[in-house]
Amino acid sequence: MTFKQITSPHGHNRQSTGRIMQLVLIATLPGLLVLSYQFGWGILINLFLAVLAAISAEALILKIRQRPIGFYLQDYSAVVTGVLLGLSLPPLVPWWLVIVATVFSIVVAKQLYGGLGSNPFNPAMVGYVVVLISFPIEMTTWVTPVSLLPEGVSHPGLFESLTIVFAGFSPMDGVTGATPLDLFKHSNGLLVDQIYQDNTLFSSASFAGVGWEWANVAFLLGGLGLLKARIFTWHGPVAMLVTLATMSMLFWDGGSSNSPGSPLMHLFSGASMFGAFFIVTDPVSSAVSNRGRLLYGALIGLLVYVIRAWGSYPDAVAFAVLLGNFAAPFIDNYTVPRTYGHNQRRKATAKEEDE
Amino acid sequence: MIELLTENIILAALVSLVGLGVLFGGLLGYAAEKFKVESDPIVEQLDELLPQTQCGQCGFPGCKPYAQSIADGDAINKCPPGGQSTINAIAKLLDVAAPSLDEEHGEEEIRTVAFIREDECIGCTKCIQACPVDAILGAAKLMHTVITQECTGCDLCVEPCPVDCIDMLPIEEDIDQWRWSIPKNQHQLIATSSSTVHETLT
Amino acid sequence: MRQLWETPGGVHPPENKVQSLKLGIGHLAIPEKLILPLIQHIGDAAKPCVAIGDVVLKGQKIASASGDLSAPVHAPTSGVISAIEDRPVAHPSGMSALCIEIISDSEERWIDLYGHTDYKQLSPQEVSHLIADAGVTGLGGAGFPSAAKLDNGRTKPVNTLIINATECEPYITADDILIRERAAEIIQGIGVISHVLDMPRRILIGIESNKPEAIDALREACKSTAIEVVVVPTKYPSGGEKQLVYILTGQEIPSGQLPSDIGMVCVNSGTAFAIKRAVIDGQPLISRIMTVTGDACGINRNYEVLIGTPVSHILEKNKFIRKNCSRLIMGGPMMGFSLSSSELPVVKTTTCILAPSHSEIPEEDPQQPCIRCGLCAEACPASLLPQQLYWYAQSEDHERLQAHNLFDCIECGACSYVCPSNIPLVQYYRSSKGNIINSRNAKISAAKARERFEFRQVRLNKAEQAREVKREARRVATEKAKTSSSSAADIINAANLRAKARQASPDQQKAKLERSLMAAKMRLDEAQERLAEANKSGSAEQQAQQHASVEGARQKVEQTKRRLEELIR
């Protein structure tokens, strides 16, 4: 009798890349729900547009590259990129902006480098930065959280939102406003207490900033779920959040007019939690070893704070992540774990005779 | 003298520039001598990379002379036994682009060893004289044989043999030499033809 | 309670051990034919010491150890040697190697056995010889000749003997059942080993927590001894030698070294049993306990199988159904290799024949791109970075592979097991290791060729120089002779001497003179002809010249004639 020859190990724990991506998608659900509640239909429209564009762009490029489309779409990586972008873009931005960001993510940042697994930068963040730099006005106009809308004003309904997104109508006055990080960026000279008193965004918040605080909590919950499911290790996110908290603690100075804000405000504003659990944990573009991921996360946390406090953009997760991506191979070189039977860890570029 | 310089700014500039030039030039020269990095002469390093078959297909009488010639600026793609991997290694060492093998000097073939059909050998010693690595054993009028482990497969012994009793045989892999091959990566295969792979995947 | 250390990584694949433990150790009918490969161990092949047609007895040595790290092979049953030729053997390559085939006479006639119950009276050296002569090799998988391992241990002070009874691979229960049924004999074997090792300070038996019955049996058997049974947590691959050493002692075997380098010897429990048989009972290693399992087999149990039994024979007796079987594996599911055919024989290192059904071990899914998720790094027991190794294996970057300690990979398969992209990582590493070894060997042989080439060059140069020196000397001598200022008389003397030296026998001289006479006459004839011609048409001057030469020739003839007459007289 003859038999098929197959290499060991025979058997597998039945985990698959597609399933990992699906879990990531599920983990974004709490954040998505809170964001949709707080900021209206715009979030869902962004998400829908981004996912559609991501899948179409991926399929098109796979076709041009002559790869089996169905097989590669099954890994859900394009959907994840689409969802992450959809969640980070401001609601009610014009439709073409979402498309441009997504197509750039998939085509340039991902497929041109060789597709899934070969991209040195996080595709969603590349797409985000491209539109942020190209269309700063659209990208910094956020919708006011639902509880802060002026009397008589409500978020546009689905149809109205669609006309805003696709036909370019302007949203009603009062529907758009500043984000907590914007306020700090543009309130130079005011004491932190004053900023807090002057803005309902802070004065009626529970612990950080209205709307944003709960969105961040939701993303934190989703992230903890992924951590529990062992989709990623704790090193990256924890390092990033701890560094961000430490930095904001160091420079808080009790709330003077120079203060860039409290640790709590930084941890639960902007894309802090979203970035920590859904972007920093992107394995493809991050450092590989646990120690490397600690450094990588810490670097991103540091950069987020530096750019938020002293840079010209209110939020900085995208820039920080891209800079972290740049540094990842360098970090990898110095963080190869110590192997069994070796006294010392080696550098990735060590030569045989070094030992 | 100083007065001349203070009054004549152009001259002062000239003198100080030249002075600085000489000073730094001297410093650099001293540093270059003092902190010189010792390394193997390039010829040795090149020779290290060549396969040492001593076959002469490159047009030089052995690997060392070819290494010398490369060091003097000759093309690096003249070594068929080394093949592309040797060319790549040399290109890396010299930090130049790796060309493909110059077909004029031969093609990259599987490694062979010489084998003497011993009952036909007349013992003329011509092959012994031709062998660049002394891998053929024998004496005049006595049968010769190849020390297989020492044979580099250069086939320089085949031509001189008057009775044509030397064969170049490919080295056969036995169970000790067998190695795992790299797995066939399906998503790399897919790039060549999408239609066939569709079938295998569904 | 002994302190245990935890290894990094590891996986928990389904154990699947219960099905083969329902029945005790069974025996199979003796197969018609037994095929015995001459290399069933790490090291050099044994040399046959029988010829085709020889009748052999059970336990008779049919191939003796030869070369480094070799082990003899014995006839597992009595019968006739029917072939000594290349046969396909159990090897991942599916290639053939030299084997001896025995047709059994089913009489089971043993050779005379000489047991040594009093082995303690023998020197360790002698006991080690007994073990070597019985062909005992490691039965856990790698097949390191046991005597060589113990001898190696004896050259260095050994303080710890570790008996590996972990059996961490799923499905395999051979050690488990052996311990349950024959714990006392294993302990005796440990006694023999510690005698050879000159009584190590501590003896530890490492066993995984998923074998409670075996643990009890061992504890019972060890009661009045200094042997300590240590239960280690169940985790694959705790049974790897390096891992077990660390779990039990907290010490690591330095990269590229052996346990004996840190004063330890690690022996499989099955090997301890074989050593007991070899020394105390005098039986060579001709059978082993082996698990036959998998859903494609109707019966799942352990057997004491004769080495050399064809796998097909075993499958036949176990209600094997071919169409249910997805692949045939020798060894466990994590590290075993798939067999291309069932006609291959069981060897000393065969722990298990696994015939899984299609639902048990399905076809592997197509490989997807690596997303560097790091699950492999978390599973790696050696703290390697499998994802990076994979990257460099693809680009054949040997330098980086070695910088990432590729050669510390034990090929346990944990990384491939958890890889969500279904990448056969272990095969990449095996292939890269092979390539690196090949290129190392190529470098070594290139260096040798260079040396030989350069030596030849030097030799040729020397020969050329020697010739040059000789030529020069000759030239100088001639020149000297030419320009020497010696007197005329000397020269004449020397010439006379030379002439005398040249003087030959009278006969020769006569013949020579006759020849010169003949030549002189011919020249005279020619000269006369030319004179006649000159007389007819030439000038007076020419006539005079020719006349003179005729005269000369005539004189020469006269002279020669005279000398000839003188000689004759």
Side-chain angles (χ1 to χ4, degrees):
Chain A
M1 281 176 277
T2 56
F3 295 84
K4 197 178 166 193
Q5 276 197 287
I6 305 155
T7 182
S8 69
H10 311 272
H12 194 261
N13 66 356
R14 318 308 303 157
Q15 180 69 283
S16 77
T17 301
R19 238 180 67 78
I20 290 180
M21 298 288 180
Q22 284 167 359
L23 283 177
V24 172
L25 290 178
I26 292 169
T28 59
L29 275 180
L32 174 65
L33 290 177
V34 173
L35 280 178
S36 307
Y37 169 73
Q38 295 284 0
F39 301 105
W41 284 103
I43 296 286
L44 287 175
I45 295 170
N46 278 354
L47 197 78
F48 178 76
L49 279 175
V51 170
L52 197 72
I55 293 175
S56 319
E58 177 106 336
L60 180 74
I61 299 290
L62 287 173
K63 180 140 182 66
I64 296 170
R65 290 178 67 200
Q66 300 189 348
R67 312 279 162 130
I69 297 168
F71 175 69
Y72 277 94
L73 287 183
Q74 268 170 32
D75 64 31
Y76 281 86
S77 61
V79 182
V80 168
T81 303
V83 167
L84 297 182
L85 251 179
L87 290 175
S88 38
L89 293 173
L92 303 180
V93 289
W95 61 272
W96 48 263
L97 194 141
V98 182
I99 305 288
V100 166
T102 318
V103 168
F104 198 90
S105 296
I106 296 290
V107 177
V108 178
K110 184 178 170 193
Q111 291 289 351
L112 281 191
Y113 283 101
L116 178 62
S118 305
N119 47 300
F121 304 105
N122 183 303
M125 291 301 102
V126 173
Y128 182 86
V129 163
V130 163
V131 288
L132 176 62
I133 294 172
S134 314
F135 313 105
I137 296 173
E138 285 87 347
M139 286 295 289
T140 47
T141 313
W142 265 83
V143 171
T144 313
V146 64
S147 51
L148 294 187
L149 288 173
E151 200 81 12
V153 177
S154 67
H155 281 144
L158 176 58
F159 180 74
E160 204 182 332
S161 300
L162 288 173
T163 56
I164 294 169
V165 169
F166 286 98
F169 291 167
S170 307
M172 229 181 298
D173 271 356
V175 166
T176 56
T179 67
L181 290 169
D182 280 337
L183 283 178
F184 265 89
K185 181 108 286 173
H186 302 298
S187 306
N188 285 345
L190 291 175
L191 292 176
V192 170
D193 280 347
Q194 285 175 308
I195 301 176
Y196 271 54
Q197 276 163 18
D198 292 355
N199 293 289
T200 46
L201 199 53
F202 290 113
S203 56
S204 58
S206 310
F207 51 92
V210 175
W212 298 94
E213 53 190 19
W214 293 113
N216 272 284
V217 168
F219 282 120
L220 172 64
L221 284 178
L224 291 178
L226 288 179
L227 200 56
K228 183 104 202 316
R230 301 177 63 112
I231 298 302
F232 48 73
T233 57
W234 56 268
H235 304 81
V238 168
M240 175 193 158
L241 294 175
V242 166
T243 314
L244 181 60
T246 314
M247 284 299 287
S248 45
M249 191 80 90
L250 282 176
F251 291 94
W252 185 33
D253 72 12
S256 77
S257 56
N258 285 326
S259 172
S262 74
L264 214 53
M265 200 277 294
H266 275 286
L267 285 179
F268 290 93
S269 293
S272 298
M273 291 296 167
F274 175 74
F277 289 99
F278 293 89
I279 304 296
V280 170
T281 55
D282 166 29
V284 177
S285 54
S286 86
V288 291
S289 63
N290 286 343
R291 230 168 66 107
R293 283 178 178 173
L294 277 177
L295 284 176
Y296 172 79
L299 175 70
I300 290 174
L302 180 77
L303 287 170
V304 166
Y305 187 79
V306 167
I307 300 173
R308 275 182 187 177
W310 302 294
S312 53
Y313 286 92
D315 201 358
V317 171
F319 289 111
V321 165
L322 291 185
L323 288 170
N325 292 163
F326 269 116
F330 178 75
I331 294 173
D332 284 343
N333 189 27
Y334 292 96
T335 51
V336 177
R338 186 191 67 86
T339 307
Y340 181 103
H342 289 260
N343 288 326
Q344 286 172 345
R345 55 177 77 247
R346 301 174 79 175
K347 274 195 297 181
T349 47
K351 293 258 167 45
E352 220 10 48
E353 54 264 30
D354 286 0
E355 232 182 336
Chain B
M1 176 74 183
I2 290 174
E3 216 167 286
L4 182 74
L5 283 180
T6 46
E7 277 168 21
N8 203 333
I9 295 177
I10 292 176
L11 196 63
L14 205 67
V15 167
S16 51
L17 271 182
V18 169
L20 283 174
V22 169
L23 179 70
F24 285 116
L27 267 178
L28 283 174
Y30 173 74
E33 267 311 303
K34 174 98 186 170
F35 303 110
K36 195 168 171 183
V37 180
E38 291 292 336
S39 70
D40 282 353
I42 192 76
V43 178
E44 296 294 325
Q45 291 182 49
L46 286 166
D47 193 35
E48 196 69 33
L49 295 175
L50 291 169
Q52 305 301 329
T53 46
Q54 319 293 357
C55 62
Q57 289 183 69
C58 50
F60 294 90
C63 295
K64 189 79 172 272
Y66 180 43
Q68 181 65 55
S69 172
I70 293 176
D72 295 340
D74 200 352
I76 64 172
N77 57 350
K78 292 184 177 177
C79 178
Q84 197 61 42
S85 57
T86 297
I87 295 174
N88 291 348
I90 296 175
K92 199 173 163 193
L93 175 69
L94 300 179
D95 201 15
V96 294
S100 57
L101 184 65
D102 188 350
E103 302 277 320
E104 215 174 276
H105 295 272
E107 284 167 25
E108 188 173 356
E109 280 160 6
I110 47 165
R111 273 206 58 195
T112 54
V113 284
F115 175 76
I116 296 178
R117 290 195 301 278
E118 294 176 346
D119 30 342
E120 289 172 40
C121 173
I122 55 168
C124 68
T125 74
K126 285 202 168 119
C127 55
I128 297 183
Q129 290 160 35
C131 180
V133 291
D134 288 339
I136 302 178
L137 215 60
K141 308 240 169 105
L142 292 170
M143 179 203 81
H144 304 337
T145 194
V146 176
I147 311 169
T148 314
Q149 292 97 312
E150 311 291 357
C151 176
T152 63
C154 67
D155 83 11
L156 291 179
C157 52
V158 176
E159 192 61 34
C161 180
V163 292
D164 226 354
C165 72
I166 303 181
D167 293 321
M168 297 307 293
L169 300 179
I171 297 174
E172 263 180 56
E173 185 185 54
D174 68 10
I175 207 158
D176 289 332
Q177 286 153 356
W178 176 85
R179 306 275 186 243
W180 286 87
S181 58
I182 210 105
K184 281 192 192 121
N185 187 341
Q186 270 162 316
H187 79 259
Q188 296 296 347
L189 281 183
I190 289 160
T192 54
S193 74
S194 51
S195 55
T196 52
V197 176
H198 269 305
E199 283 159 28
T200 62
L201 288 174
T202 45
Chain C
M1 198 63 206
R2 171 167 290 276
Q3 187 199 346
L4 294 180
W5 282 262
E6 201 195 340
T7 51
V11 290
H12 296 275
E15 286 170 17
N16 282 311
K17 296 203 184 217
V18 272
Q19 55 267 53
S20 55
L21 283 169
K22 287 179 187 140
L23 299 166
I25 299 174
H27 290 270
L28 286 168
I30 295 170
E32 266 172 56
K33 273 187 208 166
L34 290 148
I35 304 157
L36 294 138
L38 294 178
I39 183 150
Q40 305 185 21
H41 51 267
I42 286 182
D44 293 345
K47 264 214 180 92
C49 53
V50 287
I52 294 175
D54 284 5
V55 175
V56 292
L57 296 175
K58 183 168 183 158
Q60 183 180 333
K61 192 185 281 185
I62 54 173
S64 45
S66 130
D68 282 349
L69 278 184
S70 192
V73 179
H74 300 79
T77 186
S78 56
V80 182
I81 307 288
S82 56
I84 302 177
E85 60 187 24
D86 277 4
R87 290 284 173 86
V89 292
H91 190 268
S93 67
M95 289 167 91
S96 298
L98 197 59
C99 294
I100 298 178
E101 186 188 70
I102 299 177
I103 293 185
S104 113
D105 57 11
S106 59
E107 286 174 27
E108 293 267 64
R109 282 175 293 138
W110 271 96
I111 47 161
D112 299 329
L113 299 178
Y114 301 100
H116 293 81
T117 38
D118 57 343
Y119 66 87
K120 286 195 176 148
Q121 310 301 320
L122 302 174
S123 73
Q125 187 70 55
E126 285 166 323
V127 177
S128 156
H129 273 312
L130 289 177
I131 296 171
D133 218 37
V136 181
T137 61
L139 298 186
F144 197 91
S146 300
K149 184 186 258 187
L150 300 183
D151 286 343
N152 190 25
R154 263 185 316 119
T155 57
K156 291 155 195 156
V158 171
N159 55 47
T160 310
L161 169 62
I162 292 175
I163 303 298
N164 189 344
T166 43
E167 201 163 51
C168 59
E169 273 253 12
Y171 284 99
I172 307 178
T173 54
D175 284 347
D176 192 351
I177 203 90
L178 177 72
I179 295 168
R180 287 189 197 187
E181 297 194 7
R182 304 177 189 173
E185 285 184 80
I186 294 175
I187 303 301
Q188 283 178 297
I190 296 173
V192 176
I193 296 169
S194 59
H195 178 67
V196 177
L197 293 175
D198 215 9
M199 297 297 154
R201 199 163 46 78
R202 53 178 179 176
I203 303 173
L204 308 173
I205 303 180
I207 182 164
E208 271 193 345
S209 57
N210 59 359
K211 305 176 185 61
E213 289 178 49
I215 295 167
D216 289 346
L218 273 180
R219 290 229 161 103
E220 184 63 32
C222 291
K223 244 178 195 164
S224 55
T225 65
I227 303 169
E228 196 180 334
V229 180
V230 188
V231 179
V232 303
T234 303
K235 177 167 92 172
Y236 180 85
S238 302
E241 186 174 69
K242 294 177 169 185
Q243 279 63 42
L244 187 62
V245 164
Y246 181 74
I247 293 171
L248 295 181
T249 67
Q251 279 179 278
E252 291 183 3
I253 304 167
S255 175
Q257 296 187 24
L258 294 169
S260 57
D261 292 315
I262 53 168
M264 296 186 197
V265 166
C266 200
V267 178
N268 178 268
S269 54
T271 315
F273 176 76
I275 287 175
K276 182 261 165 184
R277 283 271 165 99
V279 175
I280 298 181
D281 305 334
Q283 283 183 17
L285 180 60
I286 53 167
S287 67
R288 65 159 297 142
I289 312 295
M290 196 190 82
T291 311
V292 181
T293 186
D295 285 354
C297 283
I299 306 170
N300 281 204
R301 73 182 293 188
N302 285 282
Y303 290 101
E304 180 154 7
V305 180
L306 295 181
I307 308 290
T309 307
V311 172
S312 55
H313 176 78
I314 300 169
L315 292 176
E316 243 167 64
K317 307 280 180 204
N318 279 281
K319 300 184 183 161
F320 171 74
I321 301 162
R322 172 68 186 92
K323 73 171 174 22
N324 290 352
C325 181
S326 66
R327 57 186 94 174
L328 189 63
I329 300 163
M330 187 173 276
M334 296 301 282
M335 289 188 77
F337 52 91
S338 62
L339 300 180
S340 55
S341 141
S342 59
E343 302 312 311
L344 310 172
V346 164
V347 292
K348 293 174 182 174
T349 52
T350 307
T351 48
C352 177
I353 294 290
L354 174 57
S357 67
H358 294 285
S359 59
E360 225 176 344
I361 297 184
E363 295 288 289
E364 70 273 46
D365 291 321
Q367 181 180 336
Q368 285 174 292
C370 170
I371 57 165
R372 314 216 291 168
C373 61
L375 291 173
C376 49
E378 277 177 68
C380 181
S383 305
L384 296 167
L385 290 175
Q387 69 275 54
Q388 300 290 79
L389 288 173
Y390 164 65
W391 218 251
Y392 299 129
Q394 278 185 308
S395 58
E396 291 184 36
D397 190 338
H398 293 177
E399 219 167 80
R400 287 288 182 99
L401 282 169
Q402 288 178 71
H404 283 81
N405 299 323
L406 173 66
F407 281 89
D408 289 295
C409 166
I410 59 167
E411 301 174 17
C412 67
C415 50
S416 307
Y417 177 77
V418 298
C419 179
S421 292
N422 302 301
I423 301 170
L425 293 162
V426 179
Q427 197 184 336
Y428 278 97
Y429 308 150
R430 284 180 178 145
S431 153
S432 293
K433 283 181 184 175
N435 286 341
I436 292 175
I437 291 170
N438 281 350
S439 66
R440 269 186 204 163
N441 290 345
K443 254 217 171 112
I444 292 169
S445 59
K448 229 199 266 169
R450 180 189 304 120
E451 204 177 292
R452 291 178 78 88
F453 176 69
E454 277 165 9
F455 180 77
R456 180 187 143 93
Q457 251 8 46
V458 168
R459 197 190 70 217
L460 291 181
N461 279 345
K462 253 189 205 157
E464 182 60 31
Q465 267 168 16
R467 234 174 294 151
E468 190 63 34
V469 165
K470 252 189 209 161
R471 224 177 284 146
E472 184 65 19
R474 244 186 333 232
R475 199 179 56 79
V476 169
T478 334
E479 219 133 276
K480 209 171 171 188
K482 261 189 205 156
T483 57
S484 82
S485 54
S486 47
S487 67
D490 282 345
I491 295 173
I492 293 166
N493 269 346
N496 280 345
L497 279 175
R498 276 204 302 278
K500 232 179 210 156
R502 258 193 243 127
Q503 233 164 37
S505 69
D507 278 351
Q508 275 175 346
Q509 284 186 22
K510 189 183 163 206
K512 196 175 167 192
L513 280 173
E514 274 167 355
R515 274 202 304 279
S516 27
L517 182 62
M518 198 90 78
K521 273 180 179 164
M522 258 160 74
R523 257 183 309 235
L524 180 61
D525 287 348
E526 274 170 35
Q528 274 168 342
E529 247 168 65
R530 279 200 298 274
L531 178 62
E533 219 165 297
N535 284 344
K536 251 188 259 160
S537 58
S539 65
E541 202 181 328
Q542 270 173 344
Q543 283 169 13
Q545 204 181 340
Q546 293 304 336
H547 196 75
S549 69
V550 168
E551 211 44 40
R554 191 170 288 142
Q555 268 174 24
K556 181 96 186 167
V557 171
E558 296 284 291
Q559 198 183 347
T560 319
K561 264 186 188 161
R562 215 170 34 243
R563 278 173 67 185
L564 195 60
E565 276 160 21
E566 264 171 40
L567 189 73
I568 293 164
R569 235 185 288 135

